[in-house]
Amino acid sequence: MLTVPAPDTQTAPRVTYLVKRLELAVRGEIERLMRPLGLTTHQYTALSVLARHPGLSSAQLARRSFISPQAANEIVALMERKGLVVREADPRNRRILRMSLTDAGEAVLRAGDELVDELEHRMFARLRHAEVEMFRSTLEVCLNEFTGTDYH
Amino acid sequence: MATSYADTPPAAGRTSLLYAVKRLELAVRSQLDDMLKPAGITALQYTALTVLERHDGLPAAQLARDSFVTPQSIADMVRTLEARGLVHRERNPRNGRELLIHLTEDGRWLLVKYAAPVADLEERMLSSLSPGQVDHFRRVLTAAWRALS
């Protein structure tokens, strides 16, 4: 991210800066796309994560959605009021509440996914398939330098 | 890599590119936050200082745009950096009602101190890639960004 090139150099901006810039543009775009669906970006991310991993606790959701536990609690409470998720006590530990999507939650997520598909398509439409695949693997390689493991 | 997106179901894999960009940005930011902790500033604050390094004496709104900070949070950030003695505000000589944000000597010193570690972070991220792959990565990151703007 960061770093605009130093003033005395003519070099290209840092790659980390380009990554940050792109991430920010994507975030803004998703925010705009989700507004008509009544979702914030965080809520959309939380719904995607829950669709992939039903039964998460709020703390687990926070970790996977890149938000703080407090923020996750607020998002979950709000989405529960809107009827998008339900919480049920874990049969093995009644103090843990496990979440899943309702039908309404799944429907709004599908609508959101379609919009994000279109967004992703728009971003890479001018590139060849092989270039997109190389980009995908480069992102993974870079990420692995920091995490040391594959994420999934 | 055992975990290619090819073996995730289409519904789960759909947004994988955008998700991967987000994960990488987050990983870089967290590395930077750790690195900058001894200096008592965050990655976002550091970014703002590098913006001032490139163009000293900016109004808050401009600094917010270039540092990827919302106009709402820039005032807080500037106050924090000012309290740390890293920036100071001065009246614009050409427009007395406008305050411009400048780096202090301490701010400049901090940038000098962290220039090498931050460059190392970038180098580490790209260490497994050939120069051609890095060029390609830059091109796609820029093309995808342009497609949105």
Side-chain angles (χ1 to χ4, degrees), chain A residues 4 13 15 136 143 145, chain B residues 14 16 23 54 122 128 138:
Chain A
V4 184
V15 174
R136 189 191 300 280
L143 189 68
E145 297 299 338
Chain B
R14 290 207 266 223
S16 57
R23 274 162 44 208
R54 190 173 166 75
E122 165 117 351
S128 299
R138 280 180 182 284

Side-chain angles (χ1 to χ4, degrees), chain B residues 98-112:
Chain B
E98 185 175 56
L99 288 170
L100 298 180
I101 301 151
H102 294 266
L103 284 174
T104 62
E105 278 308 305
D106 280 358
R108 285 182 198 288
W109 182 83
L110 186 141
L111 285 166
V112 168

Side-chain angles (χ1 to χ4, degrees), chain A residues 43-69:
Chain A
Q43 289 168 10
Y44 171 69
T45 305
L47 288 176
S48 323
V49 171
L50 280 177
R52 266 181 244 196
H53 309 279
L56 290 183
S57 69
S58 181
Q60 291 167 322
L61 177 69
R63 272 196 297 281
R64 287 183 178 267
S65 316
F66 314 117
I67 52 179
S68 69

Side-chain angles (χ1 to χ4, degrees), chain A residues 95-133:
Chain A
R95 285 189 308 179
I96 299 179
L97 293 172
R98 303 211 170 270
M99 290 174 285
S100 53
L101 296 191
T102 63
D103 288 349
E106 278 175 21
V108 79
L109 174 62
R110 265 197 305 276
D113 279 347
E114 271 175 37
L115 295 172
V116 173
D117 276 355
E118 284 164 24
L119 169 64
E120 187 164 318
H121 182 76
R122 183 150 52 96
M123 285 168 59
F124 300 103
R126 301 176 68 111
L127 300 172
R128 290 194 311 273
H129 181 71
E131 287 183 302
V132 177
E133 288 314 304

